Amino acid sequence: MSADLDRDLGAWTRQELSREQLLAVHGTAAAALVAVHERLTGAAAAVPLPNAEAGWAALRTRIDAPAPVVPLHRPRPSRILSIAAAAALVLAGIAYAVASRGSHDGAPVVSPASTAPSAGSFSAGVGSDPRNVPAPTRRTASSPAGGGPSAGGRSGRGGSGGGDGSAKPGDDPHDRDQGTGNDGSHNDHGSGNDGPEGSDPPPSHRQ
Amino acid sequence: MEVSAFRGSTPANISPPSHDGKGGYEPDGREQERALVRRAQDGDRDAFGELYRTHLPAVSRLVRFRVGAQDEDAVSEVFLRAWRGLGSYRDTGVPFSAWLYGIARHVAIDSLRKRGRDEPREDLPDRGIEPMTAEILTLRGAIEHLPTEQRQVIELKYLVGMTNEEVAAAMGTTPGAINAKQWRALKALADVLEERT
């Protein structure tokens, strides 16, 4: 469509240009558009309009009525089951924790992080040979030294497990050697070396 | 009262020409409507009643074309939702009628879904309060084939009765672009109508 036709059609709808003038200038190109325009105008005008006052009176009644309260979430059986299962798991966890604490009879409990070291932290002391990985055992800080991961680590390349596991007078108060008795604040997960965490033990500790 | 978007039962601001001769932009009418909207937002039911009377013809035409039948419940629902949603309306320069148009589209869709559940679609034309004319059915079917933008221009111009300036404000473009879009939409509509005959 040309810009001239656009402009003249606009002028025609604003009654600045007569229908005859428009068709004379643009011919059939304008005729089809004029026909559709007039059909739409006629159809829109033919739509019967509701009685405004009656409609407003009816609407006013609905407006004055309190809006219906629609619950945002309707409880569903699956949701209830999920919530119940989650609650049961939480309760079971709490009960287990209480029972575990009671069974140690007041002894300080080592945090799960130290009682169940990851495979990665074990490998730091025993090298990459999976056969050297000792089985993790539960124990508390007051349990006899020497047991647990460090004991198993003795059979490995780097798992000599230095020290007898008892606390020495010079031990770092933040010692986390898990009973192996070495000094320093690093965590050797029982392998007994005194270097940074994850390093091999000194040659003297190797078998 | 004269409100720019709607002029009683005269659709499409096609005639008579506006007093500024450029498409009927009436700042006084817009300001009056803004005042009514503000009063209605403050809970003034009478002000909303004025808005209802002003916009009823356009909403009725739009619902009639969209739903395919006279549906006074749907028309009433448009205004009820408008009343309940007035708090969210912000005057950003877009005409109030454009906001109503958006509500009417959604109500029409909901009405069609409900009718589709309740009765077969092919029964719709004969089941309205007023018998659907063949002309409106034909035009409605052809408009449904237009791209969204062209369909909006046709509906806002011919059914809602907006001026080019108001449609431009609603669609974020210029009045000149709306003029061109309108005629392109009519050309497309003419092609669809010719194919279907």
Side-chain angles (χ1 to χ4, degrees):
Chain A
M1 280 179 56
S2 70
D4 285 349
L5 180 55
D6 275 353
R7 184 198 61 220
D8 289 346
L9 285 165
W12 169 64
T13 58
R14 295 191 300 271
Q15 296 186 345
E16 295 168 2
L17 193 66
S18 72
R19 192 176 194 274
E20 290 72 28
Q21 286 174 312
L22 178 70
L23 296 180
V25 173
H26 297 285
T28 53
L33 300 180
V34 167
V36 176
H37 173 88
E38 289 176 342
R39 284 179 71 178
L40 275 171
T41 308
V47 172
L49 300 178
N51 183 303
E53 293 312 313
W56 171 242
L59 181 64
R60 177 83 190 238
T61 309
R62 293 179 72 186
I63 282 174
D64 288 337
V69 178
V70 180
L72 291 176
H73 298 291
R74 200 177 301 166
R76 290 175 297 187
S78 60
R79 182 176 293 144
I80 293 170
L81 279 176
S82 302
I83 292 171
L89 281 173
V90 169
L91 287 174
I94 292 170
Y96 177 74
V98 169
S100 299
R101 179 179 284 264
S103 69
H104 288 103
D105 198 19
V109 178
V110 177
S111 70
S114 60
T115 57
S118 67
S121 48
F122 274 113
S123 64
V126 297
S128 58
D129 187 353
R131 290 172 299 180
N132 293 334
V133 176
T137 55
R138 271 187 77 82
R139 62 196 173 94
T140 64
S142 62
S143 64
S150 62
R154 287 177 185 168
S155 61
R157 175 180 150 264
S160 59
D164 59 2
S166 61
K168 298 176 189 173
D171 271 353
D172 189 291
H174 303 295
D175 195 350
R176 293 184 293 148
D177 66 357
Q178 301 177 345
T180 58
N182 65 305
D183 295 338
S185 59
H186 72 285
N187 184 1
D188 63 359
H189 299 294
S191 64
N193 66 313
D194 292 346
E197 184 170 357
S199 64
D200 287 340
S204 63
H205 287 185
R206 295 180 183 165
Q207 286 182 339
Chain B
M1 190 183 106
E2 190 174 20
V3 176
S4 58
F6 301 102
R7 292 166 185 81
S9 60
T10 304
N13 63 296
I14 306 153
S15 62
S18 60
H19 42 254
D20 65 0
K22 292 178 182 175
Y25 188 61
E26 299 150 354
D28 290 345
R30 282 290 298 277
E31 191 49 49
Q32 204 169 355
E33 183 173 73
R34 281 196 183 104
L36 283 173
V37 171
R38 281 194 295 270
R39 281 172 52 200
Q41 283 180 318
D42 289 339
D44 187 336
R45 286 163 168 73
D46 293 334
F48 189 71
E50 285 299 307
L51 291 170
Y52 171 85
R53 291 180 189 93
T54 304
H55 295 280
L56 178 64
V59 171
S60 298
R61 284 192 292 267
L62 191 62
V63 168
R64 178 67 184 261
F65 266 73
R66 280 264 177 169
V67 176
Q70 192 74 8
D71 190 341
E72 293 189 12
D73 286 343
V75 172
S76 183
E77 180 67 21
V78 172
F79 287 99
L80 189 64
R81 288 191 195 182
W83 170 257
R84 288 177 179 161
L86 263 180
S88 67
Y89 172 74
R90 297 284 178 272
D91 185 2
T92 56
V94 176
F96 182 70
S97 51
W99 185 68
L100 273 181
Y101 168 75
I103 297 175
R105 275 172 42 211
H106 285 102
V107 169
I109 290 168
D110 291 347
S111 177
L112 283 172
R113 282 192 188 133
K114 185 172 179 295
R115 284 162 177 260
R117 284 197 302 266
D118 295 346
E119 55 192 327
R121 191 178 170 85
E122 54 269 21
D123 291 344
L124 286 179
D126 300 327
R127 299 289 298 275
I129 297 169
E130 289 287 327
M132 171 67 74
T133 65
E135 178 69 346
I136 289 179
L137 262 184
T138 304
L139 288 171
R140 171 183 165 235
I143 290 172
E144 283 178 353
H145 283 76
L146 296 181
T148 303
E149 192 181 65
Q150 291 186 347
R151 180 177 179 166
Q152 282 182 348
V153 170
I154 293 282
E155 289 181 338
L156 290 173
K157 288 280 294 181
Y158 289 91
L159 303 181
V160 180
M162 285 181 170
T163 63
N164 282 353
E165 285 78 3
E166 289 166 335
V167 178
M171 296 181 70
T173 183
T174 64
I178 292 300
N179 185 57
K181 285 177 195 293
Q182 175 189 351
W183 298 113
R184 273 196 289 276
L186 282 191
K187 175 75 170 64
L189 191 59
D191 292 343
V192 173
L193 286 167
E194 193 175 335
E195 285 172 14
R196 292 162 68 94
T197 52

